């Protein structure tokens, strides 16, 4: 950042193209082709202020007020807010161990305009969408002229098995809008992510970007381009994968030590969070508001549901060291049992 701040010139202080800097888009495209199996050219990349802006832009481009849209049940709360702002009609489609239940979606609303999915690591329950379901989802989109929005928010981190290639790559990018972010691999306050847009929609996305916030900011794009191009990003991923894996192991071990098999653990093989479900009769919202009053922040699982909810917590482990983990899990245990945390 300092290097680029020092050599700032007149052109870098002006507005840029709505898709972002070309040299940055080129390194993003190269990274996604090799590491995520995404089929794309730099011309299809749009640099955005994190996935949230990508979700918002996609809703503005693809949907009209009242458009039916499949969302995962449970799913990402901030997606639900974005789609509601766009006036979309949310159709909650259940997920199971193989990801989105496409047949259930077709039964509920075959003619949905779009499906929003997290196939690499379903948010929040953690399933990886099976190959059969991926093909079924793509077939549905092609037959019905629907769009698929793939939110690939944390796929760089897989601990038990090799990374799963993107859904976009399987389709050749015809009906899939692919979204990625540097929020997990680097840090969320960067506000940098990217959209890979099917050729036929590039101009419409660019027009909507112009109409909403013109273009992305310059400095972090320039710095991050170098960070990727000079190999630091790949090294950083290798290093952080080990760190997060250690933190995840510590969290799973502590949960088992404190709770035995009384809490079910879901989705621990990838990403930076896992889910624990609560025994019957306990309310996650009641426990989390009691815990919050004592300074322990617990994200209730039920908030991720539009309909009937399972009770539990979404536990992020990225920001807590392995050594600190047992203390936090003991606080969780006290919160669940109703004592002081
Ligand atoms: C499902 C999902 N998508 C996207 C994101 C990242 O959002 P952003 O890139 O806007 O920081 C998150 C962050 O937690 C997430 O859980």
């Amino acid at each position: 950042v300092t290097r680029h701040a020092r050599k700032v010139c007149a052109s870098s202080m002006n507005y840029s193209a709505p898709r972002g800097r070309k040299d940055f888009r080129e390194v993003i495209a190269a990274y996604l082709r090799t590491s995520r199996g995404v089929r794309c050219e730099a011309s299809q990349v749009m640099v955005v202020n994190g996935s949230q802006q990508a979700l918002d832009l996609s809703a503005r481009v693809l949907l009209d007020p009242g458009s039916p849209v499949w969302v995962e049940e449970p799913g990402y709360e901030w997606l639900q807010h974005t789609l509601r702002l766009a006036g979309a009609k949310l159709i909650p489609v259940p997920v199971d161990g193989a990801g989105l239940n496409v047949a259930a979606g077709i039964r509920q609303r075959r003619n949905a305009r779009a499906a929003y999915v997290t196939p690499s690591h379903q948010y929040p329950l953690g399933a990886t969408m099976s190959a059969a379901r991926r093909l079924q989802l793509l077939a549905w989109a092609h037959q019905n002229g629907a769009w698929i929005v793939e939110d690939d928010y944390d796929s760089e981190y897989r601990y038990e098995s090799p990374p799963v290639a993107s859904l976009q790559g399987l389709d050749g990018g015809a009906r899939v809008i692919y979204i990625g972010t540097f929020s997990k691999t680097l840090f969320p306050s960067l506000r940098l992510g990217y959209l890979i847009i099917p050729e036929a929609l590039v101009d419409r996305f660019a027009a909507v970007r112009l109409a909403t916030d013109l273009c992305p900011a310059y400095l972090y794009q320039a710095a991050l381009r170098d960070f990727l191009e000079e190999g630091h990003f790949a090294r950083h991923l290798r290093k952080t994968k080990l760190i997060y894996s250690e933190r995840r192991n510590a969290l799973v071990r502590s949960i088992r030590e404190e709770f035995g098999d009384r809490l079910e653990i879901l989705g621990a093989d990838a990403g930076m969070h896992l889910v624990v479900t609560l025994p019957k009769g306990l309310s996650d919202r009641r426990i989390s508001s009691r815990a919050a009053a004592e300074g322990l922040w617990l994200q209730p699982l039920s908030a991720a549901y539009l309909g009937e909810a399972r009770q539990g917590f979404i536990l992020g482990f990225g920001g807590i060291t392995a050594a600190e983990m047992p203390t936090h899990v003991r606080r969780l245990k006290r919160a669940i049992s109703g004592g002081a945390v």
Side-chain angles (χ1 to χ4, degrees), residues 156-159 237-245:
E156 285 84 357
Y157 298 109
R158 278 196 93 77
Y159 309 112
L237 286 182
R238 279 197 298 276
K239 201 166 76 181
T240 49
K241 201 169 152 185
L242 289 177
I243 294 172
Y244 296 137
S245 161

Side-chain angles (χ1 to χ4, degrees), residues 49-53 55 76 118 121 123 151-153 179-184 188 191-193 273:
N49 303 319
S51 318
Q52 196 61 26
Q53 186 182 30
L55 295 170
Y76 185 45
T118 49
H121 187 224
Y123 188 89
D151 179 0
D152 205 30
Y153 64 105
I179 296 174
T181 180
F182 290 106
S183 283
K184 302 284 174 181
R191 304 316 299 141
L192 273 179
H273 75 271

